Amino acid sequence: MRGSAFICMVVVIFTVSCNSTPKDHVLVEAVTVNSDMFGASDYAIEIREDSSYRVIDYSLGLDSVTLELIDPKENSLLLADNTVKGKTRIDGNTFFFNPGFRQVDKALLKNGFMDLYIGDSFFRRLRLQKGNTYSINYFDQKRFHDYAIFNAPKDSVFDNSYNLNQRDLIFIDSVLTSILKNKEGNNAFYKQLKVYSNSDSVLVDVNIFLKNNKSLKDFFRYYPIISFDSPTYEGTYGKLEINLSKRTFSELIMSDDF
């Protein structure tokens, strides 16, 4: 009898121990970086083990009396107003939000970042703080540290998505090295790539920016400096188009002479 009682006690203790794992354990955490470049909101996103999510919008409010900025982290009511909670559906490295927030309904984890989408349109990029095991890395981040890649919105012509890989970037880098050998050299530039694709071809719009513009150092990875719709950047930049399917490229056009 004593032996049986001992066995039962062990089973009970083991069961309690197994069930003690917190269900709200954070699997993925991501935050915005340098979002004040656009005066936009600062986000912190957490996705938990039970598939729930929490998004905190750290936009600063203005006190109507003192006209000083309010930090939501120190103001519980403002923090509550700026927090959205819901559930996620996970499909590989893609998270679908229900309900969405600010019309954002999807997040992709890849290359060390969390990309937010409204439908198929890129919204903004966050830096992964936790959950890198969920992120798919398509290329060597250290080798191509001065490249930033963005998938263009789908339309009636370019209706597919394509992720640039190591082989693609080796080709693109060789093209830029050849073109820029008489213009400071390839390593003197930050490169932003916008990818358009359909069943027939993959096109890459390339924008280059001199690294001596120090304001771009921590920013160029997170949002296209030249928007998808129209050039809104007032500084000097270069652009060309590369057809990955045909392995051809256009002439480099500069907005101003270096």
Side-chain angles (χ1 to χ4, degrees):
M1 288 296 291
R2 290 182 180 179
S4 299
F6 177 77
I7 293 173
C8 290
M9 184 179 293
V10 171
V11 171
V12 170
I13 292 173
F14 179 77
T15 302
V16 171
S17 175
C18 289
N19 291 335
S20 65
T21 302
K23 292 184 178 180
D24 62 349
H25 178 67
V26 176
L27 291 178
V28 179
E29 182 178 357
V31 296
T32 48
V33 176
N34 275 2
S35 62
D36 58 341
M37 292 289 291
F38 286 109
S41 303
D42 284 313
Y43 291 110
I45 297 179
E46 294 178 346
I47 299 175
R48 299 175 178 273
E49 192 175 61
D50 61 359
S51 297
S52 66
Y53 79 85
R54 180 177 70 162
V55 178
I56 301 175
D57 180 349
Y58 285 111
S59 298
L60 293 176
L62 194 66
D63 189 295
S64 60
V65 177
T66 64
L67 298 182
E68 294 180 350
L69 294 175
I70 301 171
D71 186 345
K73 288 178 285 188
E74 299 178 0
N75 185 314
S76 57
L77 293 178
L78 189 59
L79 181 62
D81 289 341
N82 288 353
T83 300
V84 178
K85 297 180 180 180
K87 286 287 188 178
T88 60
R89 179 172 62 84
I90 304 174
D91 183 5
N93 68 322
T94 305
F95 294 79
F96 297 91
F97 299 110
N98 183 26
F101 61 97
R102 296 288 179 92
Q103 298 182 300
V104 173
D105 54 10
K106 181 173 62 176
L108 270 67
L109 273 57
K110 61 181 182 180
N111 300 325
F113 299 99
M114 173 187 283
D115 287 354
L116 302 180
Y117 285 83
I118 298 175
D120 291 319
S121 298
F122 175 83
F123 176 62
R124 63 187 315 167
R125 174 169 289 170
L126 288 74
R127 167 71 70 180
L128 277 177
Q129 302 291 85
K130 183 177 183 179
N132 289 324
T133 54
Y134 288 81
S135 176
I136 298 176
N137 294 315
Y138 292 98
F139 58 90
D140 185 342
Q141 307 292 314
K142 291 183 178 180
R143 177 173 179 177
F144 299 106
H145 61 91
D146 50 7
Y147 281 81
I149 301 171
F150 303 93
N151 285 334
K154 294 180 183 179
D155 58 28
S156 58
V157 176
F158 297 103
D159 54 358
N160 288 348
S161 293
Y162 180 83
N163 292 299
L164 296 183
N165 56 41
Q166 183 84 354
R167 180 171 174 267
D168 297 328
L169 281 176
I170 289 173
F171 173 73
I172 292 170
D173 194 65
S174 68
V175 169
L176 293 178
T177 299
S178 175
I179 290 176
L180 297 172
K181 61 184 178 182
N182 296 323
K183 289 185 179 291
E184 306 290 340
N186 188 18
N187 291 331
F189 296 89
Y190 296 121
K191 283 81 72 170
Q192 287 194 334
L193 314 179
K194 301 184 191 123
V195 185
Y196 298 80
S197 66
N198 55 30
S199 58
D200 298 320
S201 60
V202 176
L203 302 181
V204 181
D205 280 350
V206 181
N207 288 131
I208 62 172
F209 307 88
L210 273 171
K211 288 183 180 178
N212 62 12
N213 186 340
K214 298 187 184 304
S215 65
L216 301 180
K217 178 181 178 181
D218 296 320
F219 167 68
F220 82 99
R221 295 181 180 88
Y222 293 92
Y223 204 88
I225 297 169
I226 308 299
S227 71
F228 287 106
D229 300 323
S230 60
T232 55
Y233 181 64
E234 296 180 357
T236 301
Y237 68 96
K239 61 180 180 179
L240 71 151
E241 181 183 280
I242 295 178
N243 188 320
L244 279 181
S245 304
K246 297 181 179 180
R247 287 295 195 262
T248 58
F249 53 92
S250 69
E251 181 182 355
L252 173 67
I253 299 175
M254 306 304 302
S255 68
D256 197 0
D257 291 330
F258 287 113

